Amino acid sequence: MSRRLLLVGAIMALAAIGGLAARGAIERAVITPLLGGLWLAWQLLDRLPQALVWGGAWAIALTLAIRGAWLLPRPAARPVASPPPGGRVAGWHRLVALARRDRYSRWRLAHRCASLLIEHLCLTQRIDVSQARARLIAGEVALPAAALAFVRAGLDSYHADRRIARGAHPLDVDLQAVADAIAATIADDAGVAQGATHEPD
């Protein structure tokens, strides 16, 4: 029993001596050089200009921020909505929709129809704008009376006379009937012009 105690005591003593020796070796080999290096680095930083130190710190922070933002997952791109249809057809569609609401919009539509007919007369009859306008005012266009009155009203300035009852004003007509009449007139004139072009000498 005494031998065992002596053996354990000897092992513990050797371990304590070895620990103290190792602690001294680790302190000399690792801790002392590390502390010396930190102290030297602090001395170097302390001697640098403060503007340079803060500039370097900001540069490092900015670099880390940019790198972090670059590594963030990017949201999926949303599909680009197709633009609404444009051109003259869309303008006519919008104007007709407004013309069903008030008389001023119907006057704008009548003005646009008059411009279309004047342009058509200039192309098919090879006349200038003033002559085409005069023929439209004189009624020298194959249109029904209501459609012709509607188009003529578009050539005049608009006067908001609320005393006129609905249906008594030239602008208060069936818009579909006016559109059909103008389309038929343009189609007939185009057919006549095409036949005259191909007529043999």
Side-chain angles (χ1 to χ4, degrees), residues 43-67:
Q43 292 296 321
L44 291 175
L45 284 175
D46 192 40
R47 293 179 183 177
L48 290 175
Q50 290 296 316
L52 183 62
V53 174
W54 283 108
W58 276 109
I60 294 172
L62 185 61
T63 302
L64 293 176
I66 293 175
R67 185 176 180 182

Side-chain angles (χ1 to χ4, degrees), residues 13-197:
L14 290 174
I17 294 172
L20 291 175
R23 180 181 177 184
I26 293 174
E27 183 177 348
R28 288 190 302 270
V30 179
I31 297 177
T32 301
L34 182 61
L35 292 177
L38 291 175
W39 181 82
L40 183 61
W42 175 257
Q43 292 296 321
L44 291 175
L45 284 175
D46 192 40
R47 293 179 183 177
L48 290 175
Q50 290 296 316
L52 183 62
V53 174
W54 283 108
W58 276 109
I60 294 172
L62 185 61
T63 302
L64 293 176
I66 293 175
R67 185 176 180 182
W70 184 262
L71 294 177
L72 287 176
R74 298 183 179 181
R78 296 181 179 178
V80 180
S82 58
R88 300 184 67 177
V89 175
W92 279 99
H93 186 272
R94 189 164 49 247
L95 192 55
V96 169
L98 292 173
R100 300 183 187 277
R101 302 178 185 177
D102 58 89
R103 188 173 289 166
Y104 173 71
S105 297
R106 286 193 294 276
W107 174 81
R108 289 181 57 202
L109 178 62
H111 183 75
R112 182 76 69 87
C113 290
S115 300
L116 176 65
L117 284 172
I118 289 173
E119 182 181 349
H120 172 70
L121 290 173
C122 291
L123 291 174
T124 57
Q125 300 184 13
R126 297 183 181 181
I127 55 178
D128 57 24
V129 174
S130 60
Q131 292 174 325
R133 182 184 177 90
R135 291 187 184 183
L136 187 58
I137 293 174
E140 298 175 3
V141 181
L143 283 175
L148 183 59
F150 177 82
V151 174
R152 282 177 175 173
L155 293 175
D156 298 330
S157 299
Y158 177 73
H159 300 287
D161 192 352
R162 301 184 182 276
R163 295 173 298 176
I164 302 176
R166 185 172 182 85
H169 197 278
L171 294 173
D172 296 332
V173 296
D174 184 3
L175 298 179
Q176 186 62 51
V178 172
D180 293 341
I182 293 175
T185 299
I186 292 176
D188 291 342
D189 290 346
V192 171
Q194 186 176 4
T197 303

